[in-house]
Amino acid sequence: MRCFYAPETEGHDPSFRITHGCVVQNAERPERARLLQKGLAEVRLTTEEPGTYPRSALERVHTPRFLNYLETCWDEWQALPDAGPEVIGNAFPRNAAARYPTGLVARAGWHAADVSAPIGPHSWTATRRSADCALAAADAVLGGARTAYALCRPPGHHTSAEVAGGHCLLNVSAIAAAHLRETHERVAILDIDTHHGNGTQDIFWERGDVFFASVHTDPSDYYPFFTGFADETGAGDGVGATLNLPLPRTTGGISWCASIHDALERIIAFDPGALVVSLGLDAHTDDPLKGMRVDDSGFTRAGALIADAGLPTVFVQEGGYLSDSLPSALSSFMDGVCSMVRSG
Ligand SMILES: [Zn+2]
């Protein structure tokens, strides 16, 4: 399996987040990439650097003003009096009459759902290179590969067309899906991160050509809180093209894989030309965000189930945070994928 990783993504090193009223270290650290590469090495997979892709590949899912903001906001921020080292909003639009603002502090609020993704001097380069990884993996599959993997940092699935959140900047899974959609009439996304893929759902909410399925922790009392419930099924042309399968925080590998199996049945019925898997590893029982209780064997089973669906598949790294088990979560998953691809 070809795997893509760009070292420039390590330049994105957000310093903090707020949880339960406390300022704590941000969970989306560059060390994640080193642990994920260790996991790949355990199953003898190595990474290559992706080429660079034009901005038009990002504009398929993001607005031009959001891209302009991400590109320029850090330099502009430095001109603010007593500016901190990272761009972070502190006022957020909630009124129906809210209008797009001109000032930078207001734009920082417009383009953010929460305060978990501070933007530093190298964040734009990092998120663009993260998108390049996803696009290169998509091109590998379009070129005939059965599967490909993108080690993306920062992740993307919480970002909508122009609102970032949940440690994410550009929505790399959505960008990969839109790239595949240029060739295939129908594309599916399966999001198995333990957090609902609210940004991806929002981007394709009214589209009938991209099926979005998410298996995640019940959002009633878990991030992203406001979406991800079973009765959300899409709107307009997209009615029926969104599937949400929320699960309790106590869920282990057997129930998790049963829901992944159910999602794959719906995806196969949709008959897509290709599949993007938003590969969060934070359902692992040792993940510090404590979304579920899936062990390594559950990840192996999930990898085998997804590969057994027989679709050209792009795996895009989403969440999965610092723990001694992060490498084995990825290597176990890839072991399941590779064993099924070899036998199939
Ligand atoms: Zn997550």
Side-chain angles (χ1 to χ4, degrees):
M1 186 190 315
R2 290 177 73 187
C3 300
F4 296 89
Y5 174 65
E8 299 95 325
T9 60
E10 294 182 24
H12 178 63
D13 188 9
S15 62
F16 75 95
R17 65 187 173 114
I18 296 175
T19 184
H20 299 170
C22 301
V23 176
V24 299
Q25 187 178 56
N26 197 286
E28 213 288 277
R29 315 284 307 164
E31 295 94 301
R32 293 180 62 238
R34 289 188 271 283
L35 292 178
L36 292 165
Q37 284 182 305
K38 185 178 170 201
L40 292 176
E42 285 171 4
V43 284
R44 297 198 188 91
L45 292 172
T46 56
T47 58
E48 57 188 290
E49 293 188 31
T52 57
Y53 285 80
R55 197 180 181 101
S56 55
L58 316 178
E59 289 175 344
R60 293 188 190 119
V61 303
H62 293 299
T63 63
R65 67 188 184 186
F66 177 57
L67 298 174
N68 291 341
Y69 164 78
L70 286 179
E71 183 173 15
T72 62
C73 67
W74 191 84
D75 287 332
E76 271 190 74
W77 193 257
Q78 301 314 298
L80 294 176
D82 302 321
E86 295 174 310
V87 181
I88 190 91
N90 54 264
F92 304 92
R94 298 294 301 268
N95 301 95
R99 67 190 66 191
Y100 192 69
T102 54
L104 178 57
V105 173
R107 279 183 287 135
W110 185 278
H111 290 301
D114 55 54
V115 295
S116 66
I119 294 170
H122 308 297
S123 297
W124 168 245
T125 299
T127 194
R128 276 211 73 159
R129 291 297 284 152
S130 181
D132 286 338
C133 291
L135 288 159
D139 267 341
V141 164
L142 287 172
R146 174 75 169 68
T147 58
Y149 168 73
L151 202 177
C152 293
R153 265 200 76 249
H157 72 148
H158 294 308
T159 298
S160 63
E162 63 171 22
V163 177
H167 303 314
C168 300
L169 293 177
L170 295 172
N171 191 322
V172 285
S173 289
I175 288 166
H179 191 64
L180 293 166
R181 177 62 188 82
E182 295 289 297
T183 297
H184 295 291
E185 274 184 42
R186 289 177 304 284
V187 172
I189 301 169
L190 172 60
D191 190 324
I192 62 168
D193 189 283
T194 206
H195 301 91
H196 175 236
N198 55 337
T200 311
Q201 172 173 297
D202 199 64
I203 286 168
F204 298 112
W205 183 243
E206 295 188 22
R207 284 178 57 168
D209 56 340
V210 179
F211 189 91
F212 174 70
S214 184
V215 177
H216 51 265
T217 305
D218 182 350
S220 303
D221 192 30
Y222 195 71
Y223 190 90
F225 301 112
F226 309 113
T227 59
F229 299 94
D231 60 358
E232 296 162 22
T233 58
D237 291 345
V239 167
T242 290
L243 173 69
N244 282 302
L245 298 173
L247 294 166
R249 290 176 83 151
T250 52
T251 298
I254 291 172
S255 299
W256 189 58
C257 286
S259 286
I260 290 171
H261 178 267
D262 291 348
L264 286 166
E265 284 203 329
R266 288 283 303 275
I267 286 168
I268 290 165
F270 182 72
D271 193 25
L275 173 66
V276 173
V277 174
S278 275
L279 180 58
L281 302 169
D282 42 10
H284 197 282
T285 190
D286 293 337
D287 190 273
L289 301 191
K290 298 289 174 209
M292 289 191 208
R293 297 179 186 169
V294 179
D295 63 11
D296 287 349
S297 66
F299 277 91
T300 303
R301 174 81 182 129
L305 273 174
I306 292 167
D308 193 37
L311 293 164
T313 301
V314 180
F315 298 103
V316 177
Q317 186 65 48
E318 296 279 1
Y321 298 94
L322 295 180
S323 86
D324 291 342
S325 300
L326 186 57
S328 66
L330 182 58
S331 62
S332 300
F333 181 86
M334 288 302 180
D335 203 29
V337 171
C338 293
S339 61
M340 190 56 71
V341 168
R342 273 196 301 273
S343 67

